Amino acid sequence: MKHISPALGERHNCCPSHRFRMSRLLWGIVLLLCLVCLNPLHAQPDSLWSEIYGTNGARYDDCEGAILLSSGEYLMVGSTWEAPARPYYDILIAKADSAGNEIWTRTYGERFRNNQRNDESGYSVAERHIGGYLVAGLMENEEGDDFQGMVLALSENGDSLWMRGYTGTDLDGIFSLPDGGFVAAGRDRPFFWLFKCDSVGEVEWEHVYDNIGIRASLNAQRTSDGGYILVGISGSSMVALKTDSTGEYEWSQVYRPDTLSTTSCSGVAQTTDGGFILTGYGRGRLEHGYSVRTDEDGEVLWDATYGYRGATWFWSTAQTADGGFVFGGDSYIEDGRELYMVRTDENGEQLWELHYGRNRDRCTQVLLTQDGGYALAGNTGTYQYNRREELLTSPNFWLVKTGPDPVNQEAVSIMNPAFPSRFALHSPYPNPFNSSTSITYDIPVAASVSLLLYDLSGRQVVTMVNCNQQAGVHRIIVNAGDLPSGLYFVRLKAAGQQFTRKIMLIR
């Protein structure tokens, strides 16, 4: 019998523990009551839709990353591999519109080299300033006996433009530059690795940071000062390394409290105060999601663990509109693993949590959407039929869209986990509106920004923004005040570019 993905609230098992035996029922009820009392009384956001993407046949699809494009569409990247024999990996990319409808899904890779199968995997993706996309990951070297960093350039339609290998081990971050070039981050065994290339992939500068040993490089982000932060594992500890815009070393920090024997960082984002939020995994008596907030120099402000079942790992994080945080990952349950997401305030205190799925399900990327909600990209082994009623071999790419966050929908500046690649003014939400509407716009580099409201006659009626702003995704609330009903125009001006959107006020 085929299974269609339900809404987030339609759980197949009772929460918090699945399939209780009758002898454990009483203890389960007691545990549930305790958890309800301990957790703050905030509801999770409502779900709007979910969809799966992937390949058919004896293949397994793993989503490693995703971005929200300037068009409002989604791009997910990862790998597809054959089983049960030795897995042969190809890059898999899926593009979907803002409602989750598949635009295209494609695989990439040199399938044969010297009569040998060749492996490639994608870990990170970026939207190019000059159009199209860049994918970073790994590929087999020419001899087929080891792996090296890989960058794949694509057109907007997903056509392959070029693929190049680089000397390091693998790449887990890539960042587009205004001139068409890029910076890529990863690991050159056993150290962090960062390099800059021109628009066709020729290396212009390169750094290997040999002051700290790296067991695994798991994530990287660009920072508002034009630099970069790289995170991963050093020994048995979470580690972060910060550089300037040319890759020159600034600082590194190791994070592992005495209460935990092992920590690892797999997600990082910059906060609005210039500091950072790091998240991943921590092992003590149990295995928990572990997060650290730091100042701009990497010094700890607070740290916390999350997840009451144990065996929890966070892969992605972002700062929310009210200064709090979200952490997305997975948590092991009785018959597999489920998508697990936690929302906190600015001090790391948990406000709500989200559970979804039951079988090899996880969130690898949390994206903030312009309606104040979230898009959660990852994998699912639970759901196998897409909207077109096609059966896809699981696990599949998975995209889940929620409604607005129930905690706080007031708008302030947001630092997205992936900086935008171009200037953009998104459609206001809601539109039409009767009292207030949310306006989101993208700033890829620090710039002087003005956001103005005009009436139908062309008269400027409200100045919403007129200042210098850092790179990031920004959102403000427009309050109608005493404005009469009618059609208005929102105009964004930045770095010599101009964008306009229509909004309708209905009293």
Side-chain angles (χ1 to χ4, degrees):
M1 177 181 298
K2 69 181 182 180
H3 185 80
I4 303 296
S5 174
L8 287 182
E10 298 175 10
R11 296 291 306 279
H12 295 279
N13 301 295
C14 296
C15 182
S17 184
H18 304 316
R19 300 181 181 175
F20 281 111
R21 298 180 185 276
M22 290 303 294
S23 62
R24 297 168 60 195
L25 180 57
L26 181 59
W27 285 109
I29 293 173
V30 171
L31 176 60
L32 178 59
L33 291 174
C34 291
L35 291 169
V36 169
C37 293
L38 288 172
N39 285 328
L41 298 179
H42 289 286
Q44 65 189 35
D46 295 328
S47 65
L48 301 180
W49 49 261
S50 67
E51 176 63 317
I52 64 171
Y53 317 86
T55 56
N56 293 304
R59 304 189 70 85
Y60 291 74
D61 304 327
D62 290 326
C63 178
E64 299 289 350
I67 56 173
L68 184 61
L69 301 174
S70 57
S71 62
E73 298 167 329
Y74 300 95
L75 199 66
M76 292 155 279
V77 64
S79 61
T80 180
W81 52 282
E82 297 179 357
R86 177 191 182 275
Y88 297 99
Y89 292 83
D90 285 324
I91 300 164
L92 180 65
I93 300 179
K95 185 177 182 180
D97 66 18
S98 59
N101 299 303
E102 181 180 324
I103 298 174
W104 47 259
T105 298
R106 299 181 64 172
T107 60
Y108 306 85
E110 298 180 28
R111 301 298 298 276
F112 293 92
R113 178 187 290 157
N114 298 327
N115 296 320
Q116 298 285 329
R117 289 295 296 271
N118 187 49
D119 289 341
E120 299 91 7
S121 295
Y123 294 152
S124 178
V125 63
E127 187 176 13
R128 303 187 79 178
H129 287 71
I130 60 175
Y133 316 109
L134 292 167
V135 177
L138 61 81
M139 64 187 299
E140 278 188 307
N141 61 19
E142 291 290 340
E143 292 73 30
D145 59 0
D146 201 356
F147 289 95
Q148 61 184 127
M150 176 277 304
V151 174
L152 167 66
L154 303 174
S155 71
E156 292 187 14
N157 296 322
D159 297 323
S160 176
L161 303 178
W162 50 262
M163 177 187 289
R164 300 191 62 157
Y166 298 89
T167 55
T169 310
D170 56 62
L171 297 171
D172 46 52
I174 191 161
F175 312 99
S176 176
L177 300 175
D179 62 1
F182 62 89
V183 171
R187 179 173 63 118
D188 188 349
R189 189 181 296 118
F191 304 114
F192 279 141
W193 173 39
L194 189 73
F195 63 93
K196 181 183 182 296
C197 290
D198 63 17
S199 60
V200 294
E202 292 290 340
V203 175
E204 296 183 346
W205 54 253
E206 182 175 15
H207 293 275
V208 176
Y209 306 96
D210 59 3
N211 58 316
I212 186 166
I214 302 300
R215 203 174 88 216
S217 173
L218 296 176
N219 207 316
Q221 293 296 337
R222 190 170 59 169
T223 56
S224 59
D225 61 0
Y228 303 89
I229 184 166
L230 293 72
V231 298
I233 309 170
S234 177
S236 58
S237 299
M238 174 185 288
V239 64
L241 183 146
K242 173 71 171 62
T243 80
D244 66 13
S245 60
T246 62
E248 293 296 330
Y249 172 89
E250 292 187 342
W251 55 258
S252 59
Q253 297 280 2
V254 174
Y255 308 96
R256 182 166 61 86
D258 294 339
T259 55
L260 298 175
S261 60
T262 303
T263 56
S264 171
C265 186
S266 46
V268 62
Q270 190 170 29
T271 54
T272 52
D273 61 0
F276 301 95
I277 183 73
L278 296 82
T279 195
Y281 163 88
R283 174 181 292 174
R285 186 175 61 86
L286 296 174
E287 299 172 0
H288 296 284
Y290 177 61
S291 300
V292 179
R293 183 175 183 179
T294 79
D295 64 15
E296 61 183 7
D297 297 317
E299 298 294 336
V300 175
L301 300 178
W302 54 255
D303 66 346
T305 58
Y306 305 92
Y308 60 86
R309 289 192 179 90
T312 297
W313 196 308
F314 291 135
W315 299 96
S316 177
T317 184
Q319 187 170 26
T320 56
D322 60 355
F325 302 97
V326 284
F327 308 109
D330 57 81
S331 184
Y332 280 84
I333 54 178
E334 185 175 310
D335 54 354
R337 70 185 185 194
E338 62 179 1
L339 179 152
Y340 181 55
M341 178 179 175
V342 169
R343 165 76 152 93
T344 77
D345 65 14
E346 63 181 3
N347 298 313
E349 295 295 328
Q350 182 171 318
L351 300 177
W352 52 257
E353 61 184 16
L354 176 74
H355 305 267
Y356 192 35
R358 65 183 185 204
N359 181 21
R360 293 179 295 177
D361 300 326
R362 66 171 180 157
C363 169
T364 56
Q365 189 69 57
V366 177
L367 301 171
L368 306 176
T369 55
Q370 67 180 50
D371 61 357
Y374 307 99
L376 311 175
N379 295 348
T380 180
T382 302
Y383 309 116
Q384 297 179 310
Y385 279 83
N386 62 19
R387 294 177 182 176
R388 298 195 298 268
E389 305 293 315
E390 297 169 333
L391 174 65
L392 302 179
T393 304
S394 63
N396 306 301
F397 281 20
W398 194 25
L399 188 63
V400 179
K401 178 68 181 73
T402 79
D405 190 315
V407 174
N408 190 324
Q409 297 175 35
E410 296 298 319
V412 295
S413 179
I414 294 175
M415 300 299 291
N416 214 31
F419 281 89
S421 61
R422 62 184 69 178
F423 291 96
L425 175 62
H426 299 286
S427 298
Y429 180 90
N431 189 21
F433 70 104
N434 60 14
S435 60
S436 64
T437 187
S438 173
I439 298 175
T440 304
Y441 55 98
D442 299 347
I443 305 297
V445 293
S448 176
V449 176
S450 66
L451 189 67
L452 309 172
L453 187 67
Y454 295 85
D455 63 17
L456 194 57
S457 69
R459 180 175 63 95
Q460 180 181 324
V461 294
V462 177
T463 298
M464 296 171 284
V465 175
N466 187 22
C467 64
N468 293 322
Q469 290 191 320
Q470 295 290 338
V473 177
H474 301 269
R475 188 174 76 222
I476 70 164
I477 292 292
V478 178
N479 293 305
D482 297 328
L483 292 175
S485 297
L487 180 67
Y488 293 86
F489 299 91
V490 178
R491 184 163 297 160
L492 172 69
K493 297 179 180 180
Q497 301 186 48
Q498 182 172 294
F499 307 86
T500 303
R501 293 280 186 176
K502 298 178 181 178
I503 56 174
M504 177 66 73
L505 173 60
I506 299 176
R507 293 293 186 178

